[in-house]
């Protein structure tokens, strides 16, 4: 565990693990539920087949990823 560091000394943390947590599963069901909750049904998040053609699969919402920080 990293001790508290003053913002001015943040560079001292380069190369160190900070805020490590257990893995969190972000599967398509979670992405779809987030899309329903936010109304963001953009195809890159919810259209599995189309996303596979262009990117190899869907991409989780940025805000979904940020919402997992407390984990």
């Amino acid at each position: 565990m990293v001790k508290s560091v003053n913002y001015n000394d943040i560079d001292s943390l380069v190369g160190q693990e900070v805020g490590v947590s257990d893995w969190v599963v972000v599967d398509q069901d979670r992405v779809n539920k987030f899309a329903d909750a936010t109304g963001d049904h953009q195809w890159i998040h919810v259209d599995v087949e189309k996303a596979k053609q262009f990117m190899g699969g869907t991409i989780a919402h940025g805000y979904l990823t940020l919402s997992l920080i407390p984990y």
Side-chain angles (χ1 to χ4, degrees):
M1 181 70 106
V2 174
K3 65 182 183 341
S4 178
V5 175
N6 182 296
Y7 178 77
N8 293 325
D9 300 324
I10 200 83
D11 288 344
S12 69
L13 298 177
V14 172
Q16 295 186 46
E17 287 188 343
V18 294
V20 178
S21 67
D22 292 331
W23 288 95
V24 176
V25 175
V26 180
D27 57 10
Q28 192 61 49
D29 183 56
R30 185 183 291 240
V31 171
N32 291 344
K33 287 177 180 173
F34 190 85
D36 290 341
T38 62
D40 182 356
H41 292 93
Q42 189 175 41
W43 67 268
I44 64 171
H45 306 305
V46 297
D47 189 333
V48 175
E49 294 308 313
K50 186 173 181 178
K52 278 183 186 177
Q53 292 176 15
F54 292 95
M55 300 170 285
T58 57
I59 298 172
H61 303 76
Y63 283 131
L64 169 56
T65 305
L66 288 173
S67 75
L68 298 174
I69 290 174
Y71 281 100

